[in-house]
């Protein structure tokens, strides 16, 4: 029984030691080498963005510019309307002053 146990241990150690192992890499850089393109591309260089993407960027930029112009137009329109209302209010106030003055003058002449 002891002999069988000893023979089993010896055989298992021989089998383990004789099995094929992959050699350890000598340089870790070989193992860490990337298998894909890592070249940096300048975003302003030709070919950095596809034609479709560039067109979408220009379109969105144009839309942004158009929305800014529209906002400015709305502000100018509001300002113009406000100025017109102020002018009308001034005219009404002047007309009321003239009426009060004319009423005061007629009241003074009656006394």
């Amino acid at each position: 029984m002891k002999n069988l146990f000893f023979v089993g241990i010896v055989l298992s150690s021989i089998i383990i030691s004789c099995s094929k192992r992959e050699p350890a890499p000598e340089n870790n850089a070989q193992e860490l080498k990337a298998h894909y393109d890592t070249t940096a591309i300048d975003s302003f260089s030709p070919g950095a963005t596809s034609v479709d993407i560039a067109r979408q960027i220009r379109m969105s930029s144009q839309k942004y510019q158009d929305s800014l112009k529209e906002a400015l137009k709305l502000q100018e329109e509001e300002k113009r309307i406000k100025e017109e209302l102020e002018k009308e209010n001034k005219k009404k106030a002047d007309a009321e002053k003239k009426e009060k003055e004319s009423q005061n003058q007629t009241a003074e002449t009656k006394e």
Side-chain angles (χ1 to χ4, degrees), residues 23-39:
E26 294 177 10
N27 189 358
N28 287 342
Q30 291 174 351
E31 190 172 309
L32 299 175
K33 185 176 179 182
H35 298 289
Y36 51 88
D37 184 20
T38 58
T39 305

Side-chain angles (χ1 to χ4, degrees), residues 8-56:
I9 291 175
V10 171
L11 284 176
S12 63
S13 64
I14 291 174
I15 291 173
I16 291 173
S17 65
C18 291
S19 65
K20 292 185 178 179
R21 293 183 187 171
E22 293 183 16
E26 294 177 10
N27 189 358
N28 287 342
Q30 291 174 351
E31 190 172 309
L32 299 175
K33 185 176 179 182
H35 298 289
Y36 51 88
D37 184 20
T38 58
T39 305
I41 298 175
D42 183 17
S43 62
F44 298 107
S45 66
T49 57
S50 70
V51 177
D52 295 330
I53 302 287
R55 190 175 117 265
Q56 287 177 353

Side-chain angles (χ1 to χ4, degrees), residues 70-106:
E70 190 67 30
L72 288 174
K73 286 181 184 179
L74 288 173
Q75 286 178 350
E76 290 174 2
E77 185 69 23
E78 289 175 359
K79 189 176 181 181
R80 185 185 61 81
I81 291 171
K82 189 175 182 180
E83 288 174 356
E84 287 179 4
L85 287 174
E86 288 177 3
K87 287 179 183 178
E88 288 178 14
N89 290 338
K90 283 184 181 180
K91 287 180 183 178
K92 287 181 183 178
D94 289 341
E96 288 176 5
K97 279 186 181 179
K98 287 180 183 178
E99 283 182 28
K100 286 182 182 179
E101 287 177 5
S102 64
Q103 288 176 357
N104 287 341
Q105 288 177 357
T106 55

